[in-house]
C-alpha cells in the first residue's frame, strides 16, 4: 500500500528546519509535493514550471476582500525533483517547493494549487516543514487537479486539522462554504457533467433499460415512486434515450470512462489494473467454457459432478478450431495478454473452491447445509421460530392463505423427545424462511422466464451439541385463479435413507439453495450494502466539509463504492445483464430488490438490532458485549458482535473528542443538513418513515456512524469475500433452477432412479451460465494489492493526537479479535465453526493477503 508508506518515508527525508534566507530576503519554508504526472511526454522541468502553490492564511484575512478570505502568500512553483525517493508508487514523483515567509500569512490553513498545463495530474500530498510555531503541516489531497481553465474557482486543499463549522478560523470559513457549493454542483443542476467536474448529486436508477433496442429491453425507473422505491445513485447526466425521455442512455463498457462519476471516486491505479485483469480472465473463462461445451456430448450441459470438478482439477483447454481463432481475433490485445498472464499455459483453470478442497462431497451433507446458515456467506437470514406453524405476513386479501402447511406430526419425531411447544419455549426451533419474499413474484418468474423456482421454508432443530439439523423443507408455488394468487400449493420433503427419497431431499435442499443464493446476491449483498451506502457517500461529500470530523471518520469507508456500483449498473443490473442471465428472478432482479427495499430500515442494519429482530439474541448485561445468543455457537454473530463493539468503541472515542455535549450536535449546521439530506434525498422514498432517529444526541451520532461503518466494512466483507470459497462450486450455491421437482409417474422421476446426477444438472444451471456465474464471483471475491483494511488509515489523515491514539487502540483490538477468531476455529467443541467441509469461518478476520482468501475486512464496499 504505497499511499500508507509514503508520508512516513518523506517525514525522514524532508528538511525539518526553517530556512533563514529566502528569495525575498526574509525567511523561507520548504515542503514536499507528491504527485502523479499522467503525461510522460512532459519533462520534469517543463512539468514543474507549470504548477504553483499559494499558502492561505488561517489567521489573517485579506482586508481587500469583501468575503474576508484568508490572506494569500506568493506563488511558489515546484522546484527540483527528489532523486531516488522511497515509499512512492511507480508512477508517482516527489518535488521540492519553497515558500517565502510572509508575516501576513503567518500560519497556513489551506493551499491553493493551480495547474497551467493542458492535462491533469494527481496530487497526493503536500507537506510543509518548519512552519513558525507549528513545525510540520500536512495536506492530504488525494485529488485530480485539472487545468485551471476547467474550474470557475481555484482548487483549494485544507490542512489535516479538524474543525466543526463554528470552530473554523474566520479566514477559512468562506473557502469551506465555497468548496461545499462546488461539490453540490450549485449552478450546474441541469448541466452535462464532465470528468473535471467534482459534482456529487442524486439520480434515480433510470439507466438499466435500453428501450431503443426494443420493448424487451425496457426496464422501470427505480426510485421516486411508491411502486418502485429505491436508494438514489450518483448523477451521471447522460442524455435521454430516443424512445423514452425519462430513461438515461447507456454507454458501452469499453467506454466506461465516459460514464461520469467524480474523478476522485474512480479506482486507484493498482486496484484498476487488478480489476481489469481479473475482468478479462473471467470473460475468457466464459468464452472457453462455451467453446468446450460445443464439443461435449451434451452441449451446454454438465453430465456428472466430475464434469464440474474437471474445471478445477484439469482446467479447460482451448480447442483448435476456426471458431476459437475468430474469438482470438475479436478480443482486444490487452485481453489476449491477460489470457496467459499467470504462467503462459494454454489451460484456463479455475482455482479450487475451499468448500471442496478437503472433501469433495461434504457439501451434500445435511450438517454442512445447515452450518452455512450460521457460518456461510448469507448468515443474516436464519431466525428463531416463535410460533407454529410458520405464519405468513403477506396480505391475505391479495395473496390468500400463505401460512405454512407443515404439521406437528411431520416434525415431532425428530425433536429429541420434545413437543413442538416445548421446542419453541426452549428456543430450539429455527427457520430459514424464503417464502414471503419470493411468493409475490413466482407467477411472473415461473411463467415469463426460463426459471422454475419455489418459495421455500426450512425448519431446523437445535441439538444438544450446538449444531442444527434440518427437519423439513416446504416448497410452495402460488395457487392462482386467473392472474390472482389465492393461496399456496405446497410439498414437504424430509431427510431420508431411502435412495429415491434421499435424491428428492438433495433436490429440495438445492431449491432452498437457489432461493437463498439469489437472496444473498441481490438483497444481502447488492441492496443492503452497495445500493444503500451510495446515498451516504453522496450526502457526505455534499454537506460535510473535509474539515468536518464526521467526514474524516467516514471517508475511508466510501472508497471505490461509486465506481463499483457504476460497473454493476453497466454489466450486472442492466437489461440482459449478468444478474438477469444467472440469477433466478431473471428480468425481475431489480424489481425484486425494489420490493424488498420497502422493508429496509436503517436502524435495523445495526448488528445487535438485527440479531434481536430475528430472535437470535436478547439484551443481557451479563453476557459478552451485552447480548446473549440463543445459539451460542453462531460464528457470524459471535465474531460480528466483537467487531461491532470494537467499531462502536472507536466511534465513541472519536466523536466524543469533538462533541462535548448533545447541544453541539443539535447546533452543527453541516451535520444537520447531512442527516436531513440522507433522509429526504438519498433515501427519499423512505423520508416519511418514523424509524429515522433525530440527530440531536451524541448517542444517535455514534450509533449512526457505527452502523454505516459496519455495513460498509464488516457486513459487506461477510457477504462478498466468501463467495468463491463457498459458491465457486456451483452445486453448493446454485442461483437458478430450470425445472420443477420430478413428480411420481413421470419420465423425470424414473430418470431420478437411474441417473440422479443427470436430473440434478438438468434442474440447475447449464454449463454456460455456470461458467458465467463462477467467473463473476471469482472476480469479486478477491482483494486487490492496495486494499485498505478496517483499522488502517493513510498517515497524516488528522493532526489531532487523541483520535490518532484511539485509532491505534482500535487497530490493536482488531488484531486481538482476529486471534480469538482463529482460536475459536481450533476449538473442536464449536462444531459450527469448521464443519464437515473443513472450511473454517474466517470471513470476519480483519486482515488478509492479496487475492481470494476468504477473509479480510476492507474499510469500504469494494471488490
Amino acid at each position: 500500500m504505497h499511499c500508507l508508506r509514503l508520508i512516513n518515508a518523506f517525514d525522514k527525508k524532508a528538511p525539518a528546519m526553517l530556512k533563514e534566507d529566502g528569495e525575498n530576503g526574509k525567511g523561507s519554508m520548504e515542503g514536499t509535493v507528491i504527485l502523479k504526472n499522467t503525461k510522460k511526454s512532459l519533462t520534469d522541468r517543463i512539468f514543474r514550471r507549470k504548477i504553483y502553490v499559494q499558502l492561505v492564511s488561517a489567521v489573517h484575512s485579506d482586508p481587500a476582500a469583501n468575503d474576508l478570505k484568508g490572506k494569500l502568500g506568493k506563488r511558489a512553483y515546484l522546484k527540483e525533483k527528489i532523486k531516488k525517493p522511497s515509499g512512492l508508487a511507480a508512477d508517482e514523483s516527489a518535488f521540492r517547493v519553497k515558500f517565502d515567509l510572509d508575516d501576513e500569512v503567518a500560519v497556513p490553513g489551506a493551499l491553493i494549487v493551480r495547474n497551467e498545463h493542458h492535462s491533469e495530474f494527481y496530487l497526493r500530498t503536500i507537506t510543509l516543514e518548519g512552519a513558525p510555531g507549528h513545525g510540520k503541516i500536512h495536506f492530504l489531497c488525494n485529488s485530480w487537479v485539472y487545468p485551471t481553465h476547467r474550474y470557475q474557482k481555484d482548487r483549494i486543499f485544507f490542512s489535516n486539522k479538524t474543525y466543526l463549522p463554528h470552530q473554523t478560523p474566520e479566514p477559512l470559513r468562506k473557502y469551506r462554504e465555497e468548496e461545499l457549493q462546488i461539490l453540490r454542483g450549485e449552478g450546474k443542476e441541469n448541466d452535462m457533467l464532465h470528468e473535471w467536474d467534482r459534482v456529487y448529486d442524486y439520480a434515480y436508477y433510470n439507466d438499466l433499460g435500453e428501450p431503443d433496442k426494443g420493448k424487451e429491453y425496457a426496464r422501470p425507473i427505480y426510485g421516486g415512486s411508491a411502486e418502485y422505491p429505491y436508494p438514489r445513485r450518483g448523477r451521471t447526466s447522460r442524455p435521454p434515450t430516443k424512445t423514452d425521455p425519462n430513461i438515461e442512455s447507456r454507454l458501452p463498457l469499453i467506454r466506461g470512462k465516459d460514464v461520469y462519476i467524480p474523478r476522485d471516486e474512480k479506482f486507484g491505479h493498482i486496484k484498476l489494473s487488478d480489476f481489469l485483469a481479473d475482468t478479462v480472465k473471467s470473460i475468457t473463462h466464459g468464452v472457453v467454457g462455451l467453446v468446450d461445451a460445443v464439443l461435449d456430448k451434451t452441449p451446454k450441459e454438465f453430465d456428472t459432478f466430475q464434469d464440474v470438478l474437471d474445471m478445477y482439477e484439469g482446467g479447460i483447454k482451448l480447442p483448435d478450431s476456426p471458431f476459437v481463432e475468430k474469438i482470438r481475433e475479436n478480443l482486444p490485445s490487452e485481453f489476449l495478454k491477460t489470457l496467459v498472464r499467470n504462467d503462459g499455459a494454454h489451460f484456463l483453470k479455475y482455482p479450487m473452491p475451499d468448500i471442496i478442497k478437503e472433501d469433495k462431497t461434504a457439501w451434500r451433507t445435511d450438517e454442512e447445509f445447515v452450518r452455512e446458515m450460521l457460518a456461510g456467506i448469507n448468515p443474516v437470514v436464519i431466525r428463531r421460530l416463535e410460533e407454529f406453524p410458520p405464519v405468513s405476513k403477506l396480505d391475505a386479501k391479495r395473496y390468500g392463505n400463505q401460512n405454512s402447511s407443515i404439521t406437528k406430526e411431520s416434525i415431532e419425531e425428530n425433536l429429541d423427545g420434545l413437543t413442538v411447544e416445548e421446542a419453541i419455549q426452549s428456543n430450539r426451533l429455527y427457520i430459514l424462511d424464503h417464502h414471503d419474499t419470493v411468493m409475490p413474484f413466482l407467477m411472473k418468474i415461473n411463467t415469463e422466464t426460463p426459471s422454475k423456482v419455489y418459495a421455500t421454508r426450512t425448519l431446523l432443530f437445535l441439538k444438544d451439541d450446538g449444531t442444527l439439523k434440518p427437519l423439513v423443507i416446504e416448497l410452495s408455488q402460488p395457487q392462482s385463479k386467473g392472474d390472482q394468487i389465492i393461496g399456496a400449493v405446497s410439498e414437504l420433503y424430509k431427510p431420508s435413507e431411502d435412495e429415491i427419497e434421499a435424491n428428492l431431499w438433495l433436490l429440495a435442499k438445492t431449491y432452498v439453495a437457489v432461493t437463498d443464493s439469489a437472496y444473498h446476491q441481490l438483497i444481502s449483498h447488492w441492496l443492503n450494502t452497495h445500493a444503500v451506502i451510495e446515498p451516504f457517500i453522496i450526502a457526505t461529500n455534499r454537506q460535510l466539509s473535509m474539515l468536518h470530523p464526521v467526514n474524516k471518520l467516514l471517508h475511508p469507508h466510501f472508497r471505490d463504492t461509486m465506481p463499483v456500483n457504476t460497473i454493476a449498473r453497466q454489466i450486472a443490473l442492466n437489461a440482459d445483464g449478468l444478474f438477469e442471465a444467472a440469477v433466478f428472478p431473471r428480468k425481475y432482479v431489480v424489481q425484486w430488490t425494489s420490493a424488498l427495499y420497502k422493508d429496509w430500515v436503517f436502524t435495523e442494519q445495526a448488528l445487535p438490532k438485527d440479531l434481536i429482530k430475528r430472535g437470535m439474541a436478547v439484551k443481557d448485561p451479563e453476557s459478552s458485549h451485552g447480548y446473549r445468543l440463543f445459539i451460542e455457537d453462531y460464528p457470524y454473530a459471535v465474531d460480528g458482535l466483537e467487531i461491532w463493539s470494537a467499531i462502536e468503541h472507536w466511534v465513541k472515542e472519536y466523536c466524543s473528542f469533538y462533541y462535548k455535549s448533545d447541544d453541539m450536535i443539535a447546533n452543527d449546521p453541516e451535520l444537520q443538513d447531512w442527516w436531513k439530506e440522507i433522509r429526504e434525498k438519498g433515501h427519499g422514498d423512505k423520508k416519511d418513515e418514523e424509524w429515522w432517529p433525530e440527530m440531536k444526541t451524541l448517542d444517535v451520532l455514534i450509533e449512526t456512524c457505527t452502523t454505516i461503518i459496519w455495513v460498509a466494512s464488516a457486513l459487506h466483507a461477510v457477504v462478498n469475500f466468501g463467495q468463491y470459497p463457498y459458491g465457486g462450486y456451483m452445486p453448493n450455491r446454485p442461483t437458478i433452477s430450470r425445472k420443477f421437482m420430478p413428480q411420481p409417474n413421470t419420465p423425470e422421476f424414473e430418470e431420478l432412479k437411474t441417473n440422479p446426477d443427470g436430473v440434478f444438472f438438468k434442474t440447475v444451471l447449464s454449463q454456460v451460465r455456470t461458467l458465467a456465474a463462477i467467473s463473476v464471483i471469482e472476480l469479486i471475491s478477491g482483494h486487490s494489492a492496495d486494499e485498505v483494511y478496517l483499522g488502517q488509515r493513510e498517515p497524516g489523515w488528522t493532526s489531532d493526537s487523541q483520535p490518532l491514539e484511539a485509532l491505534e487502540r482500535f487497530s490493536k483490538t482488531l488484531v486481538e479479535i482476529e486471534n480469538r477468531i482463529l482460536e475459536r476455529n481450533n476449538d473442536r467443541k464449536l462444531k459450527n465453526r469448521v464443519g464437515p467441509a473443513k472450511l473454517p469461518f474466517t470471513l470476519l478476520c480483519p486482515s488478509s493477503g492479496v487475492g481470494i482468501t476468504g477473509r479480510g475486512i476492507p474499510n469500504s464496499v469494494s471488490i
Side-chain angles (χ1 to χ4, degrees):
M1 293 179 294
H2 300 289
C3 63
L4 296 179
R5 298 196 302 265
L6 58 91
I7 296 170
N8 287 337
F10 277 98
D11 284 353
K12 298 174 183 177
K13 287 181 171 290
M17 60 182 180
L18 178 67
K19 301 295 183 180
E20 295 297 334
D21 297 316
E23 295 175 1
N24 61 353
K26 299 181 180 180
S28 65
M29 178 170 53
E30 291 194 359
T32 302
V33 178
I34 298 174
L35 53 77
K36 177 166 59 179
N37 173 14
T38 60
K39 299 296 181 182
K40 298 303 181 184
S41 59
L42 296 174
T43 65
D44 289 333
R45 186 164 181 256
I46 295 175
F47 179 73
R48 58 188 172 86
R49 290 175 61 185
K50 293 287 187 176
I51 299 172
Y52 69 80
V53 184
Q54 286 181 279
L55 304 178
V56 180
S57 176
V59 293
H60 298 305
S61 297
D62 188 346
N66 295 327
D67 52 16
L68 299 179
K69 286 183 177 179
K71 180 76 175 180
L72 297 182
K74 293 183 178 181
R75 298 179 179 182
Y77 287 88
L78 300 190
K79 292 187 173 294
E80 73 276 6
K81 186 176 181 181
I82 299 175
K83 296 181 179 179
K84 298 182 179 179
S86 61
L88 294 185
D91 54 355
E92 291 180 335
S93 301
F95 294 88
R96 299 289 189 206
V97 63
K98 181 182 288 187
F99 299 92
D100 290 341
L101 285 181
D102 188 332
D103 292 340
E104 294 186 357
V105 171
V107 180
L111 299 170
I112 284 176
V113 178
R114 290 177 66 91
N115 174 13
E116 297 178 341
H117 283 294
H118 61 273
S119 62
E120 73 276 12
F121 64 88
Y122 186 77
L123 179 61
R124 177 77 73 189
T125 62
I126 299 178
T127 304
L128 307 182
E129 302 288 342
H134 290 77
K136 184 183 301 180
I137 300 179
H138 189 66
F139 298 80
L140 191 61
C141 306
N142 286 330
S143 183
W144 289 93
V145 180
Y146 278 79
T148 300
H149 72 273
R150 296 297 189 187
Y151 301 122
Q152 293 180 340
K153 292 185 179 294
D154 288 326
R155 288 301 312 274
I156 190 161
F157 297 94
F158 298 103
S159 74
N160 62 350
K161 292 187 177 297
T162 306
Y163 302 105
L164 293 171
H166 74 278
Q167 299 167 336
T168 310
E170 191 61 38
L172 301 181
R173 192 178 301 273
K174 188 64 178 180
Y175 286 112
R176 178 174 184 152
E177 294 171 356
E178 286 183 351
E179 181 74 355
L180 285 175
Q181 291 168 1
I182 292 169
L183 294 173
R184 286 195 290 267
E186 294 184 7
K188 291 189 175 185
E189 289 82 359
N190 299 313
D191 293 356
M192 179 69 69
L193 297 176
H194 302 282
E195 61 178 281
W196 51 83
D197 287 314
R198 302 167 55 234
V199 174
Y200 292 80
D201 204 355
Y202 302 96
Y204 302 135
Y205 278 68
N206 65 343
D207 61 343
L208 304 181
E210 294 185 83
D212 292 347
K213 290 176 64 176
K215 291 182 179 180
E216 67 272 25
Y217 292 96
R219 295 294 182 270
I221 296 173
Y222 295 100
S225 69
E227 183 179 11
Y228 298 122
Y230 222 66
R232 302 300 186 260
R233 64 171 176 89
R235 176 164 75 96
T236 52
S237 76
R238 286 167 288 179
T241 61
K242 298 176 182 178
T243 306
D244 187 341
N246 294 315
I247 300 297
E248 193 169 285
S249 60
R250 297 176 55 78
L251 296 171
L253 183 61
I254 199 69
R255 294 175 58 210
K257 65 178 182 178
D258 294 332
V259 179
Y260 173 82
I261 56 174
R263 182 72 187 274
D264 292 347
E265 295 291 338
K266 292 191 175 182
F267 288 130
H269 63 286
I270 297 176
K271 183 177 284 286
L272 178 61
S273 62
D274 284 355
F275 179 82
L276 290 177
D278 286 339
T279 300
V280 173
K281 181 183 175 186
S282 294
I283 291 172
T284 54
H285 275 166
V287 170
V288 174
L290 176 60
V291 174
D292 196 59
V294 172
L295 303 180
D296 194 18
K297 65 178 181 180
T298 310
K300 302 183 182 180
E301 300 286 355
F302 292 110
D303 297 309
T304 66
F305 285 100
Q306 186 58 48
D307 287 347
V308 183
L309 292 175
D310 285 344
M311 295 194 305
Y312 317 105
E313 295 176 337
I316 303 173
K317 188 176 181 179
L318 284 168
D320 295 325
S321 74
F323 182 43
V324 175
E325 289 306 313
K326 185 175 182 180
I327 291 175
R328 288 183 185 274
E329 292 172 3
N330 290 333
L331 287 174
S333 59
E334 60 266 30
F335 278 26
L336 292 177
K337 291 176 183 177
T338 309
L339 281 171
V340 293
R341 80 183 197 276
N342 289 330
D343 56 11
H346 292 292
F347 288 84
L348 286 172
K349 182 179 175 182
Y350 287 93
M352 184 73 73
D354 290 348
I355 191 67
I356 54 172
K357 268 185 180 177
E358 299 296 327
D359 189 320
K360 299 296 187 293
T361 61
W363 67 273
R364 300 177 67 142
T365 64
D366 290 351
E367 292 82 1
E368 183 62 26
F369 172 65
V370 296
R371 186 191 79 90
E372 291 183 24
M373 300 176 194
L374 300 172
I377 55 175
N378 197 31
V380 297
V381 179
I382 186 174
R383 62 180 174 86
R384 183 165 53 91
L385 191 65
E386 301 181 61
E387 58 183 327
F388 188 90
V391 175
S392 171
K393 294 182 180 179
L394 293 175
D395 184 357
K397 293 180 180 179
R398 187 173 180 183
Y399 298 105
N401 180 10
Q402 293 292 333
N403 293 336
S404 176
S405 64
I406 301 173
T407 63
K408 293 181 180 180
E409 293 74 20
S410 65
I411 64 172
E412 280 193 335
E413 62 181 353
N414 289 313
L415 297 183
D416 292 358
L418 299 178
T419 65
V420 168
E421 290 78 9
E422 290 170 338
I424 289 177
Q425 290 171 4
S426 58
N427 305 310
R428 310 235 350 226
L429 281 183
Y430 294 82
I431 185 171
L432 185 73
D433 194 342
H434 289 299
H435 184 279
D436 287 3
T437 55
V438 175
M439 179 59 74
F441 285 83
L442 277 188
M443 284 185 63
K444 290 181 179 179
I445 292 170
N446 287 339
T447 59
E448 299 177 21
T449 80
S451 296
K452 298 294 180 283
V453 293
Y454 295 93
T456 67
R457 291 184 176 108
T458 307
L459 260 59
L460 313 153
F461 179 71
L462 180 62
K463 300 193 296 182
D464 291 337
D465 65 357
T467 64
L468 294 169
K469 69 176 179 180
L471 300 172
V472 63
I473 290 173
E474 181 183 53
L475 304 181
S476 301
Q477 293 188 63
Q479 180 183 9
S480 61
K481 186 176 181 180
D483 294 333
Q484 179 67 35
I485 298 177
I486 60 173
V489 179
S490 301
E491 302 169 359
L492 302 182
Y493 295 89
K494 298 169 64 175
S496 177
E497 297 295 327
D498 177 79
E499 185 175 358
I500 297 298
E501 294 296 323
N503 289 330
L504 290 172
W505 173 245
L506 177 61
L507 285 175
K509 291 193 295 182
T510 301
Y511 289 115
V512 172
V514 167
T515 54
D516 191 64
S517 296
Y519 187 97
H520 157 259
Q521 191 61 265
L522 298 175
I523 308 304
S524 302
H525 184 202
W526 163 254
L527 177 65
N528 288 346
T529 62
H530 285 262
V532 301
I533 281 293
E534 188 161 354
F536 289 92
I537 300 172
I538 299 168
T540 300
N541 282 279
R542 285 168 54 88
Q543 299 296 344
L544 298 178
S545 166
M546 287 298 295
L547 292 167
H548 198 286
V550 175
N551 184 309
K552 289 182 184 289
L553 173 67
L554 296 179
H555 184 75
H557 302 288
F558 298 151
R559 180 179 186 245
D560 292 336
T561 303
M562 289 186 74
V564 167
N565 288 2
T566 299
I567 292 170
R569 297 198 312 274
Q570 282 288 100
I571 66 173
L573 297 163
N574 59 304
D576 207 28
L578 291 172
F579 284 162
E580 291 195 3
V583 188
F584 81 76
R586 299 296 182 101
K587 65 180 180 180
Y588 295 108
V589 288
V590 185
Q591 194 173 133
W592 191 43
T593 66
S594 173
L596 296 189
Y597 176 62
K598 294 176 182 179
D599 299 325
W600 180 81
V601 177
F602 171 71
T603 52
E604 291 176 355
Q605 308 311 301
L607 176 62
K609 290 183 178 178
D610 169 61
L611 293 172
I612 290 172
K613 178 186 177 183
R614 291 190 284 120
M616 303 300 288
V618 291
K619 285 187 176 181
D620 181 2
E622 301 299 320
S623 297
S624 178
H625 308 295
Y627 300 91
R628 177 168 60 86
L629 296 171
F630 289 111
I631 301 178
E632 293 182 8
D633 183 16
Y634 182 1
Y636 164 71
V638 173
D639 300 356
L641 284 172
E642 287 212 59
I643 298 291
W644 168 273
S645 297
I647 296 171
E648 184 179 45
H649 186 74
W650 147 241
V651 171
K652 183 176 182 179
E653 283 198 279
Y654 180 88
C655 291
S656 298
F657 176 75
Y658 296 103
Y659 292 99
K660 304 302 183 184
S661 69
D662 291 342
D663 286 343
M664 291 181 70
I665 290 174
N667 295 322
D668 182 340
E670 287 186 11
L671 188 69
Q672 295 304 318
D673 288 344
W674 172 73
W675 192 235
K676 183 175 187 290
E677 183 165 293
I678 287 169
R679 297 192 324 268
E680 297 184 0
K681 290 187 177 181
H683 285 283
D685 298 331
K686 293 279 189 177
K687 63 182 179 181
D688 296 325
E689 300 283 0
E690 295 182 357
W691 45 256
W692 287 106
E694 290 189 352
M695 187 60 68
K696 300 295 185 183
T697 67
L698 181 61
D699 286 344
V700 171
L701 177 62
I702 292 169
E703 176 89 357
T704 297
C705 292
T706 302
T707 301
I708 293 170
I709 294 171
W710 164 261
V711 171
S713 60
L715 179 59
H716 179 260
V718 169
V719 298
N720 185 72
F721 293 105
Q723 290 192 81
Y724 195 82
Y726 287 87
Y729 182 65
M730 177 275 299
N732 189 52
R733 299 290 296 176
T735 55
I736 283 180
S737 50
R738 298 177 291 156
K739 290 189 176 184
F740 291 124
M741 181 72 82
Q743 299 299 314
N745 302 317
T746 63
E748 292 81 5
F749 194 87
E750 293 302 312
E751 185 180 4
L752 191 65
K753 299 177 182 178
T754 59
N755 184 21
D757 287 6
V759 174
F760 181 94
F761 288 111
K762 289 177 182 178
T763 300
V764 295
L765 286 174
S766 67
Q767 183 178 14
V768 175
R769 294 192 185 278
T770 294
L771 291 168
I774 294 176
S775 295
V776 172
I777 64 172
E778 181 195 3
L779 166 65
I780 64 180
S781 296
H783 295 290
S784 67
D786 64 343
E787 195 71 85
V788 183
Y789 295 92
L790 192 63
Q792 296 179 341
R793 293 267 174 146
E794 187 169 353
W797 66 278
T798 183
S799 61
D800 293 324
S801 59
Q802 289 188 40
L804 288 172
E805 292 167 0
L807 177 65
E808 185 175 357
R809 288 191 291 273
F810 177 46
S811 300
K812 290 181 178 178
T813 298
L814 292 174
V815 173
E816 294 168 359
I817 291 172
E818 181 166 310
N819 291 334
R820 288 195 291 272
I821 290 173
L822 298 177
E823 289 174 3
R824 286 193 288 269
N825 286 346
N826 289 324
D827 187 343
R828 294 187 177 182
K829 296 190 299 293
L830 302 176
K831 296 183 178 181
N832 294 324
R833 297 206 65 93
V834 177
K838 298 180 177 58
L839 174 52
F841 184 76
T842 56
L843 295 176
L844 283 169
C845 284
S847 71
S848 175
V850 177
I852 299 173
T853 63
R855 58 179 292 162
I857 306 177
N859 270 325
S860 59
V861 176
S862 62
I863 56 175

